Amino acid sequence: MSNKKRIGVIFGGRSPEHEVSRVSAQNVINNIDRDKYEVVMIGITKDGRWLIYEGPVKEVGTGGWQAIAEANEKNNKINVFELFSGDKSSESLKNICKRLDIVFPVLHGCNGEDGTIQGMFELFGIPYVGCGVLSSALAMDKAYSKLIFEKYSIPIGKYLVFDRSEINEDNIHGIIEKVEAVHTYPCFVKPSNTGSSIGVSKARDRNQLVDAIYLASRYDSKILIEEYIEGGEYECAVLGNKKPEASVVGEIIPCNEFYDYEAKYSPDSTSKIVIPAELPEDISNEIRKYAIEAFKALECSGLARVDFFVQKGTNRVYINEVNTLPGFTNISMYPKLWEATGIKYSELIDRLINLALERFQDRKREIDI
């Protein structure tokens, strides 16, 4: 009988980051130590169906996994189940999860790293990699994150928040006036609850600001308008539970005007990363310190990537955001930062799994008390 732990790697999802999730998951699966773990691949289609996938790992990244899984479903070779489509399906999902020792949800964006699926795993009583319900939700909602950063004296740029209900032809000019009273151009406009820079724009004048607000409102009901901080973009990876560690700092040099979706993931992207970042030692240490403080302030666990700006001319450090399920693609910073710090990809995955089990046992003890 095998002593290997069964780990369910979940990928895809209904968010706009579906494709990125698949590529991240492929890399995670390829780097899991098969001497220690038995991998169960579970894909979520764009229309929300959950399918067990048994096929070549390379088809996870290409998207070809779905046709294979559906063909197996049709031939009754493996189970397929749908979430929230009836008692029978939901029970099947629960039973599948119960047969796993741990889940690694490699899901980016809404319904993946915003606390929703984490809550489901909590109800099922199954360990999972990454942050819990509260920290996932707080980090995903960038407006609420900023409130917490302010409370903990972690420096942030100026910002405004608007609700989608406020945005219409009758009062858009009033919103513009409020923005211009606080910000100069350019400024950044983004949905409060997305990742991978989806729906994010850099507005250089009033017309672009209007377009950017309407674009952001397509992706979330809450819209953030942020100060443009001229300077470099830097990222720091955090790993741990109660005693988190910070990696070396890396710099992003985007090929576009800012690090948007195309600059991150396009095959033609010429964006560069510099690891370790060419920063004075005291500035790198300041970033690492703030990364751990932000991780703790949001009550994160397992992993997070914390993004910063360093202002040109002053070297002032400003936190941008915390990503609780950062990318694991070939070009993603999180695994690269840890590799530069001395933790190889497969070891990193192993540590994340062990941190998830550690957190689960701690939580179990709290409940049992």
Side-chain angles (χ1 to χ4, degrees), residues 312-349:
K312 182 179 179 181
T314 68
N315 269 356
R316 288 178 182 163
V317 175
Y318 295 89
I319 192 169
N320 180 22
E321 61 186 56
V322 174
N323 190 317
T324 57
L325 210 301
F328 280 86
T329 70
N330 288 329
I331 60 171
S332 294
M333 282 285 269
Y334 189 85
K336 286 184 176 293
L337 287 168
W338 280 117
E339 187 171 11
T341 309
I343 302 177
K344 294 187 181 298
Y345 207 134
S346 60
E347 181 188 350
L348 176 62
I349 300 300

Side-chain angles (χ1 to χ4, degrees), residues 11-12 20-21 65 68 70 72 91 101 120 159 170 194 201 206 210-211 224 271 281-282 287 294 336 350 355 364 366:
F11 58 87
V20 180
S21 166
W65 73 275
I68 296 171
E70 289 173 338
N72 285 335
E91 187 61 30
D101 294 300
M120 185 185 76
Y159 70 98
D170 293 332
T194 62
S201 304
R206 279 192 171 195
V210 171
D211 291 341
L224 266 176
S271 296
E281 185 177 359
D282 60 328
I287 288 173
K336 286 184 176 293
D350 195 45
L355 285 166
K364 192 172 184 296
E366 291 171 4

Side-chain angles (χ1 to χ4, degrees), residues 166-177 209-210 213-214:
E166 301 176 69
I167 301 165
N168 55 60
E169 291 183 8
D170 293 332
N171 68 355
I172 189 67
H173 294 295
I175 290 175
I176 299 303
E177 289 175 0
L209 180 58
V210 171
I213 289 171
Y214 279 114

Side-chain angles (χ1 to χ4, degrees), residues 155-330:
I156 60 173
K158 293 182 291 184
Y159 70 98
L160 292 170
V161 184
F162 294 97
D163 190 87
R164 182 192 287 150
S165 62
E166 301 176 69
I167 301 165
N168 55 60
E169 291 183 8
D170 293 332
N171 68 355
I172 189 67
H173 294 295
I175 290 175
I176 299 303
E177 289 175 0
K178 289 178 182 179
V179 172
E180 291 178 342
V182 175
H183 296 304
T184 57
Y185 292 107
C187 60
F188 276 96
V189 183
K190 61 177 67 172
S192 188
N193 282 276
T194 62
S196 295
S197 300
I198 290 172
V200 178
S201 304
K202 184 177 181 180
R204 301 163 193 79
D205 55 39
R206 279 192 171 195
N207 290 335
Q208 289 188 358
L209 180 58
V210 171
D211 291 341
I213 289 171
Y214 279 114
L215 174 64
S217 69
R218 287 170 48 192
Y219 294 96
D220 191 40
S221 61
K222 191 158 40 179
I223 294 91
L224 266 176
I225 301 179
E226 298 179 334
E227 173 186 9
Y228 167 60
I229 297 169
E230 185 180 5
E233 297 183 44
Y234 299 88
E235 298 183 352
C236 183
V238 183
L239 178 69
N241 288 334
K242 298 297 184 181
K243 297 179 180 179
E245 306 169 60
S247 72
V248 299
V249 178
E251 181 181 8
I252 298 289
I253 304 175
C255 59
N256 294 342
E257 194 166 2
F258 68 97
Y259 203 37
D260 60 10
Y261 188 91
E262 292 299 318
K264 289 177 180 178
Y265 302 118
S266 170
D268 301 322
S269 172
T270 56
S271 296
K272 298 177 182 178
I273 58 175
V274 179
I275 304 175
E278 297 174 357
L279 282 170
E281 185 177 359
D282 60 328
I283 301 301
S284 288
N285 288 338
E286 186 178 6
I287 288 173
R288 295 173 76 241
K289 177 178 77 74
Y290 282 138
I292 289 176
E293 288 181 4
F295 188 91
K296 289 181 175 180
L298 296 179
E299 297 191 3
C300 294
S301 55
L303 76 161
R305 193 196 69 234
V306 190
D307 302 346
F308 295 89
F309 299 114
V310 176
Q311 191 173 46
K312 182 179 179 181
T314 68
N315 269 356
R316 288 178 182 163
V317 175
Y318 295 89
I319 192 169
N320 180 22
E321 61 186 56
V322 174
N323 190 317
T324 57
L325 210 301
F328 280 86
T329 70
N330 288 329

Side-chain angles (χ1 to χ4, degrees), residues 33-182:
D33 187 344
R34 297 305 179 98
D35 291 331
K36 290 184 178 181
Y37 306 104
E38 176 188 347
V39 177
V40 178
M41 295 180 284
I42 303 171
I44 306 176
T45 66
K46 288 184 177 181
D47 61 358
R49 292 184 301 129
W50 293 53
L51 297 89
I52 297 174
Y53 172 59
E54 296 176 348
V57 176
K58 66 180 182 179
E59 298 298 344
V60 172
T62 65
W65 73 275
Q66 184 173 336
I68 296 171
E70 289 173 338
N72 285 335
E73 173 194 7
K74 186 175 180 179
N75 295 328
N76 296 316
K77 289 184 178 179
I78 57 175
N79 290 324
V80 60
F81 49 93
E82 300 180 17
L83 183 61
F84 304 138
S85 61
D87 293 339
K88 185 176 179 181
S89 297
S90 296
E91 187 61 30
S92 297
L93 173 58
K94 184 175 182 179
N95 288 337
I96 290 291
C97 288
K98 285 289 188 181
R99 292 203 297 270
L100 302 172
D101 294 300
I102 188 169
V103 172
F104 195 144
V106 190
L107 297 165
H108 306 308
C110 295
N111 298 316
E113 59 178 312
D114 59 359
T116 50
I117 200 168
Q118 288 76 14
M120 185 185 76
F121 296 139
E122 293 280 355
L123 290 173
F124 287 174
I126 183 170
Y128 57 92
V129 170
C131 294
V133 176
L134 177 64
S135 53
S136 297
L138 287 173
M140 190 69 182
D141 192 319
K142 297 167 189 63
Y144 272 101
S145 295
K146 290 178 185 296
L147 292 174
I148 294 172
F149 298 151
E150 287 178 306
K151 176 69 176 178
Y152 281 83
S153 301
I154 301 171
I156 60 173
K158 293 182 291 184
Y159 70 98
L160 292 170
V161 184
F162 294 97
D163 190 87
R164 182 192 287 150
S165 62
E166 301 176 69
I167 301 165
N168 55 60
E169 291 183 8
D170 293 332
N171 68 355
I172 189 67
H173 294 295
I175 290 175
I176 299 303
E177 289 175 0
K178 289 178 182 179
V179 172
E180 291 178 342
V182 175

